[in-house]
Amino acid sequence: MLRYIIKRILYVIPIMLGVLVIVFLLRVIIPGDPIEMFVRSDASVEEREAKRVELGLNYPIPVQFARYVWGVATRLDFGKSWAGNVPVRDDLLLRFPITVRLAFISVFIAVLLAIPLGVVSAVKHNSFLDQFILLATLILTSIPGFWLALMLLSAFAVKVHWFPALYNGTIRSWVLPVFVTAIGAMSGLCRITRTSMLEVIRADYVRTARAKGQTEQKIIYNHALRNALIPVLAAVGNMLGMQLGGAIITETMFGMPGIGKYIVDAIGKRDFICVQGGVVLLAFVFTIINLLVDISYTLVDPRLRSSVITTRKKKARPAAAA
Amino acid sequence: MGNNTAVEVKNLIVHYETEEGIVEAVNNVSFSIEKGEVMGLVGETGAGKTTIALSIMGLLPHPPAKMYSGEIYLDGEDLTKKSLKEMQKIRGKKASMVFQDPMTALNPVIKVGDQITEVIKLHDPSLSDAEAQKKAIDMLEMVGIKGDRFEEYPHQFSGGMKQRVIIAIALACQPELIIADEPTTALDVTIQAQVMEMMKSLQHELNTAMLLITHDFGIVANICQKCAVIYAGEIVESGTVAHIFDNPMHPYTKGLFGSIPSLDKDVERLTPIKGQVVDPTDLPEYCSFYNRCDYCTEKCKECDPKLVEVEPGHFVKCIHVMQGAEEG
């Protein structure tokens, strides 16, 4: 088991290397010389060259890449912002908590709502309530987040001043962004829970539980839900990752100074070193969340757990023989 | 109904009301099983065997299933009049069921032992956890599984072992009736024999009545005392195993025996029953076996024959037998 976990953690290294390559290459192949953004328009060739040296862009591409990866890996040094000459790491550390908080609070609320609704919907299959939940979640999944954000802003921030239109750090200014993010995640999760639950309550082992004389309530909790939540778990992890990345829109709409907004602002300024840092951080968090989901899978599903343990035994046997 | 009767089913009619039409799954089925007796219920897939079993357990899926008429007496009480709560006390305690497919009948995320303990605790809440666990381990050992496998999960068991666990669950509260719905169909032949042999001896030991649903006459001959042959939701012939095997009278029963390979007779080809099973959404007014019957005559179309007692305890539902009975 421990071996499996260590193996999975080691997988993170090649994944992150791949991410670094892609992000770095994207920056390189984007047309336009970033230097243009950071020198006066009438700057001389010497001035441009000086800036290029200052930003470290004078080295050949592979060398630039190696220097970047080395910096990130050894010192967590994401370079210095081209525009402000501030270490990217400092900015990321400042802004990351906001993005994480938004994603975690939203997904937490979404899970709290989605699982009971999904279960009720499946248990009362084809009832009015089920149809209603189905329709409501369909509409909510279909609504684009940015549109919902705009509507909420114009209703609750502009018409009635219940909530501030722009983030100012107060709890009030968290309500709308959390709502927008949670609604999107909730409707998706609710539908997944419902589908998974519907499949499970028709399973033979649920019928076995009934034949034992178990009460319906316990059948749902003890027998059905535990099985139905296995796919939901993966979806929650995915949703969390998506919210971290998708925060770009929400944060921009509500002016929240998180990683998403940081990336968008940096793109506007062609400050690609910052974009690079932000994307690498998000990718890293996404990978870690997936890692945690994979590990938690083995805790929930005994079939997976023993498959993990047997692979270890199989490998141990020839070693013992030798 | 005698004192010795464990279960009696009277005039059971069950329909499935689907969008494609009404499926007449069980049509006026009556039978009874004595304490300690094993009755085989034989028929093709779709004949309504499982529906009868689920009716007794009160586990018919509503909708689409609907019980039109019928009384089911277990221990002198009519189960069809019980509320869900009362049925929950009966299921697993007085009547329990062994399902067809052991691969899916156990919950994959719950320890095998806990699945047995569940039914024990459910019907005897006064037991402490330790006592219930002890009893569950005893049950495991009774079906031939080492008690130390209590903590394992179903995927660590083979098909035959899983079926043993399911049998342990079914027997845990020493029910008066066990319904075994094709308990060995999903198992390979050697394991089939083992499991069947074990069920037979446990049933005998506990003196439990058993309704054994199967399409395998070999199993019926091996462990049943009584047998009913069911076709299109009706019992077409019933009697003791000797009646059915030595003197089959209904053309369908004869047809079934004709399609079993025999060791001692040298037959070129097996004789299958011609035609297809009658469409249960469109049963004829007359004998539903008419279209496939080798002995059918114009008279068969005149009325739906009744089950007639041709010799003590041997009932046949065929117009030719009826005539013979009337004439003789």
PDB file of all heavy atoms in Angstrom, chain A residues 137-154:
ATOM      1  N   THR A 137     -31.047  20.904 -12.668  1.00  0.00           N
ATOM      2  CA  THR A 137     -29.598  20.721 -12.820  1.00  0.00           C
ATOM      3  C   THR A 137     -29.195  20.838 -14.289  1.00  0.00           C
ATOM      4  O   THR A 137     -28.112  21.329 -14.593  1.00  0.00           O
ATOM      5  CB  THR A 137     -29.132  19.357 -12.273  1.00  0.00           C
ATOM      6  OG1 THR A 137     -29.937  18.330 -12.839  1.00  0.00           O
ATOM      7  CG2 THR A 137     -29.217  19.302 -10.780  1.00  0.00           C
ATOM      8  N   LEU A 138     -30.091  20.425 -15.167  1.00  0.00           N
ATOM      9  CA  LEU A 138     -29.786  20.562 -16.600  1.00  0.00           C
ATOM     10  C   LEU A 138     -29.617  22.034 -16.951  1.00  0.00           C
ATOM     11  O   LEU A 138     -28.665  22.439 -17.619  1.00  0.00           O
ATOM     12  CB  LEU A 138     -30.904  19.946 -17.449  1.00  0.00           C
ATOM     13  CG  LEU A 138     -30.703  20.076 -18.956  1.00  0.00           C
ATOM     14  CD1 LEU A 138     -29.541  19.215 -19.403  1.00  0.00           C
ATOM     15  CD2 LEU A 138     -31.966  19.700 -19.709  1.00  0.00           C
ATOM     16  N   ILE A 139     -30.570  22.851 -16.472  1.00  0.00           N
ATOM     17  CA  ILE A 139     -30.494  24.286 -16.753  1.00  0.00           C
ATOM     18  C   ILE A 139     -29.235  24.871 -16.141  1.00  0.00           C
ATOM     19  O   ILE A 139     -28.488  25.600 -16.797  1.00  0.00           O
ATOM     20  CB  ILE A 139     -31.755  24.994 -16.203  1.00  0.00           C
ATOM     21  CG1 ILE A 139     -32.983  24.523 -16.990  1.00  0.00           C
ATOM     22  CG2 ILE A 139     -31.599  26.509 -16.282  1.00  0.00           C
ATOM     23  CD1 ILE A 139     -34.293  25.005 -16.432  1.00  0.00           C
ATOM     24  N   LEU A 140     -28.972  24.495 -14.884  1.00  0.00           N
ATOM     25  CA  LEU A 140     -27.822  25.078 -14.196  1.00  0.00           C
ATOM     26  C   LEU A 140     -26.489  24.667 -14.830  1.00  0.00           C
ATOM     27  O   LEU A 140     -25.553  25.455 -14.869  1.00  0.00           O
ATOM     28  CB  LEU A 140     -27.841  24.690 -12.713  1.00  0.00           C
ATOM     29  CG  LEU A 140     -28.972  25.350 -11.916  1.00  0.00           C
ATOM     30  CD1 LEU A 140     -29.002  24.831 -10.495  1.00  0.00           C
ATOM     31  CD2 LEU A 140     -28.839  26.866 -11.919  1.00  0.00           C
ATOM     32  N   THR A 141     -26.414  23.426 -15.306  1.00  0.00           N
ATOM     33  CA  THR A 141     -25.154  23.036 -15.974  1.00  0.00           C
ATOM     34  C   THR A 141     -24.995  23.796 -17.282  1.00  0.00           C
ATOM     35  O   THR A 141     -23.870  24.061 -17.719  1.00  0.00           O
ATOM     36  CB  THR A 141     -25.124  21.530 -16.364  1.00  0.00           C
ATOM     37  OG1 THR A 141     -26.158  20.856 -15.699  1.00  0.00           O
ATOM     38  CG2 THR A 141     -23.807  20.899 -16.059  1.00  0.00           C
ATOM     39  N   SER A 142     -26.117  24.093 -17.920  1.00  0.00           N
ATOM     40  CA  SER A 142     -26.040  24.718 -19.238  1.00  0.00           C
ATOM     41  C   SER A 142     -25.717  26.203 -19.162  1.00  0.00           C
ATOM     42  O   SER A 142     -25.240  26.786 -20.132  1.00  0.00           O
ATOM     43  CB  SER A 142     -27.369  24.538 -19.979  1.00  0.00           C
ATOM     44  OG  SER A 142     -27.817  23.227 -19.850  1.00  0.00           O
ATOM     45  N   ILE A 143     -26.016  26.823 -18.014  1.00  0.00           N
ATOM     46  CA  ILE A 143     -25.743  28.250 -17.889  1.00  0.00           C
ATOM     47  C   ILE A 143     -24.241  28.479 -17.813  1.00  0.00           C
ATOM     48  O   ILE A 143     -23.573  27.900 -16.964  1.00  0.00           O
ATOM     49  CB  ILE A 143     -26.417  28.816 -16.617  1.00  0.00           C
ATOM     50  CG1 ILE A 143     -27.929  28.782 -16.779  1.00  0.00           C
ATOM     51  CG2 ILE A 143     -25.944  30.237 -16.342  1.00  0.00           C
ATOM     52  CD1 ILE A 143     -28.657  29.245 -15.545  1.00  0.00           C
ATOM     53  N   PRO A 144     -23.691  29.335 -18.683  1.00  0.00           N
ATOM     54  CA  PRO A 144     -22.266  29.617 -18.565  1.00  0.00           C
ATOM     55  C   PRO A 144     -21.998  30.419 -17.284  1.00  0.00           C
ATOM     56  O   PRO A 144     -22.789  31.295 -16.918  1.00  0.00           O
ATOM     57  CB  PRO A 144     -21.961  30.478 -19.790  1.00  0.00           C
ATOM     58  CG  PRO A 144     -23.195  30.468 -20.620  1.00  0.00           C
ATOM     59  CD  PRO A 144     -24.338  30.058 -19.763  1.00  0.00           C
ATOM     60  N   GLY A 145     -20.904  30.107 -16.626  1.00  0.00           N
ATOM     61  CA  GLY A 145     -20.575  30.762 -15.363  1.00  0.00           C
ATOM     62  C   GLY A 145     -20.476  32.280 -15.485  1.00  0.00           C
ATOM     63  O   GLY A 145     -20.966  33.011 -14.620  1.00  0.00           O
ATOM     64  N   PHE A 146     -19.878  32.738 -16.581  1.00  0.00           N
ATOM     65  CA  PHE A 146     -19.681  34.197 -16.688  1.00  0.00           C
ATOM     66  C   PHE A 146     -21.006  34.935 -16.829  1.00  0.00           C
ATOM     67  O   PHE A 146     -21.188  36.021 -16.307  1.00  0.00           O
ATOM     68  CB  PHE A 146     -18.758  34.532 -17.868  1.00  0.00           C
ATOM     69  CG  PHE A 146     -19.352  34.268 -19.221  1.00  0.00           C
ATOM     70  CD1 PHE A 146     -20.099  35.250 -19.866  1.00  0.00           C
ATOM     71  CD2 PHE A 146     -19.172  33.048 -19.843  1.00  0.00           C
ATOM     72  CE1 PHE A 146     -20.645  35.008 -21.099  1.00  0.00           C
ATOM     73  CE2 PHE A 146     -19.727  32.798 -21.081  1.00  0.00           C
ATOM     74  CZ  PHE A 146     -20.467  33.788 -21.711  1.00  0.00           C
ATOM     75  N   TRP A 147     -21.977  34.280 -17.518  1.00  0.00           N
ATOM     76  CA  TRP A 147     -23.280  34.909 -17.687  1.00  0.00           C
ATOM     77  C   TRP A 147     -23.998  34.985 -16.339  1.00  0.00           C
ATOM     78  O   TRP A 147     -24.540  36.034 -15.959  1.00  0.00           O
ATOM     79  CB  TRP A 147     -24.113  34.102 -18.690  1.00  0.00           C
ATOM     80  CG  TRP A 147     -25.463  34.695 -18.970  1.00  0.00           C
ATOM     81  CD1 TRP A 147     -25.765  35.674 -19.873  1.00  0.00           C
ATOM     82  CD2 TRP A 147     -26.697  34.351 -18.323  1.00  0.00           C
ATOM     83  NE1 TRP A 147     -27.101  35.963 -19.826  1.00  0.00           N
ATOM     84  CE2 TRP A 147     -27.697  35.167 -18.889  1.00  0.00           C
ATOM     85  CE3 TRP A 147     -27.041  33.450 -17.324  1.00  0.00           C
ATOM     86  CZ2 TRP A 147     -29.029  35.092 -18.493  1.00  0.00           C
ATOM     87  CZ3 TRP A 147     -28.373  33.383 -16.931  1.00  0.00           C
ATOM     88  CH2 TRP A 147     -29.345  34.196 -17.506  1.00  0.00           C
ATOM     89  N   LEU A 148     -23.970  33.866 -15.607  1.00  0.00           N
ATOM     90  CA  LEU A 148     -24.597  33.845 -14.289  1.00  0.00           C
ATOM     91  C   LEU A 148     -23.959  34.917 -13.399  1.00  0.00           C
ATOM     92  O   LEU A 148     -24.659  35.653 -12.686  1.00  0.00           O
ATOM     93  CB  LEU A 148     -24.425  32.457 -13.663  1.00  0.00           C
ATOM     94  CG  LEU A 148     -25.127  32.246 -12.318  1.00  0.00           C
ATOM     95  CD1 LEU A 148     -26.631  32.352 -12.484  1.00  0.00           C
ATOM     96  CD2 LEU A 148     -24.764  30.893 -11.710  1.00  0.00           C
ATOM     97  N   ALA A 149     -22.637  35.031 -13.479  1.00  0.00           N
ATOM     98  CA  ALA A 149     -21.932  36.029 -12.677  1.00  0.00           C
ATOM     99  C   ALA A 149     -22.417  37.433 -13.026  1.00  0.00           C
ATOM    100  O   ALA A 149     -22.719  38.240 -12.134  1.00  0.00           O
ATOM    101  CB  ALA A 149     -20.428  35.910 -12.912  1.00  0.00           C
ATOM    102  N   LEU A 150     -22.542  37.690 -14.318  1.00  0.00           N
ATOM    103  CA  LEU A 150     -23.006  39.019 -14.743  1.00  0.00           C
ATOM    104  C   LEU A 150     -24.412  39.302 -14.251  1.00  0.00           C
ATOM    105  O   LEU A 150     -24.712  40.391 -13.752  1.00  0.00           O
ATOM    106  CB  LEU A 150     -22.987  39.112 -16.273  1.00  0.00           C
ATOM    107  CG  LEU A 150     -21.629  39.361 -16.912  1.00  0.00           C
ATOM    108  CD1 LEU A 150     -21.747  39.300 -18.420  1.00  0.00           C
ATOM    109  CD2 LEU A 150     -21.092  40.718 -16.462  1.00  0.00           C
ATOM    110  N   MET A 151     -25.295  38.316 -14.377  1.00  0.00           N
ATOM    111  CA  MET A 151     -26.683  38.486 -13.958  1.00  0.00           C
ATOM    112  C   MET A 151     -26.756  38.744 -12.455  1.00  0.00           C
ATOM    113  O   MET A 151     -27.468  39.633 -11.992  1.00  0.00           O
ATOM    114  CB  MET A 151     -27.503  37.225 -14.290  1.00  0.00           C
ATOM    115  CG  MET A 151     -27.724  36.992 -15.753  1.00  0.00           C
ATOM    116  SD  MET A 151     -28.575  38.382 -16.517  1.00  0.00           S
ATOM    117  CE  MET A 151     -27.352  38.913 -17.688  1.00  0.00           C
ATOM    118  N   LEU A 152     -26.005  37.955 -11.702  1.00  0.00           N
ATOM    119  CA  LEU A 152     -26.018  38.110 -10.251  1.00  0.00           C
ATOM    120  C   LEU A 152     -25.470  39.478  -9.861  1.00  0.00           C
ATOM    121  O   LEU A 152     -26.010  40.148  -8.972  1.00  0.00           O
ATOM    122  CB  LEU A 152     -25.197  37.006  -9.589  1.00  0.00           C
ATOM    123  CG  LEU A 152     -25.816  35.606  -9.639  1.00  0.00           C
ATOM    124  CD1 LEU A 152     -24.834  34.569  -9.134  1.00  0.00           C
ATOM    125  CD2 LEU A 152     -27.099  35.551  -8.814  1.00  0.00           C
ATOM    126  N   LEU A 153     -24.419  39.887 -10.560  1.00  0.00           N
ATOM    127  CA  LEU A 153     -23.823  41.191 -10.263  1.00  0.00           C
ATOM    128  C   LEU A 153     -24.822  42.303 -10.519  1.00  0.00           C
ATOM    129  O   LEU A 153     -25.023  43.195  -9.695  1.00  0.00           O
ATOM    130  CB  LEU A 153     -22.568  41.402 -11.112  1.00  0.00           C
ATOM    131  CG  LEU A 153     -21.291  40.766 -10.577  1.00  0.00           C
ATOM    132  CD1 LEU A 153     -20.170  40.914 -11.586  1.00  0.00           C
ATOM    133  CD2 LEU A 153     -20.906  41.404  -9.247  1.00  0.00           C
ATOM    134  N   SER A 154     -25.499  42.226 -11.674  1.00  0.00           N
ATOM    135  CA  SER A 154     -26.422  43.322 -11.981  1.00  0.00           C
ATOM    136  C   SER A 154     -27.624  43.300 -11.055  1.00  0.00           C
ATOM    137  O   SER A 154     -28.189  44.336 -10.735  1.00  0.00           O
ATOM    138  CB  SER A 154     -26.846  43.268 -13.456  1.00  0.00           C
ATOM    139  OG  SER A 154     -27.651  42.143 -13.663  1.00  0.00           O
TER     140      SER A 154
END
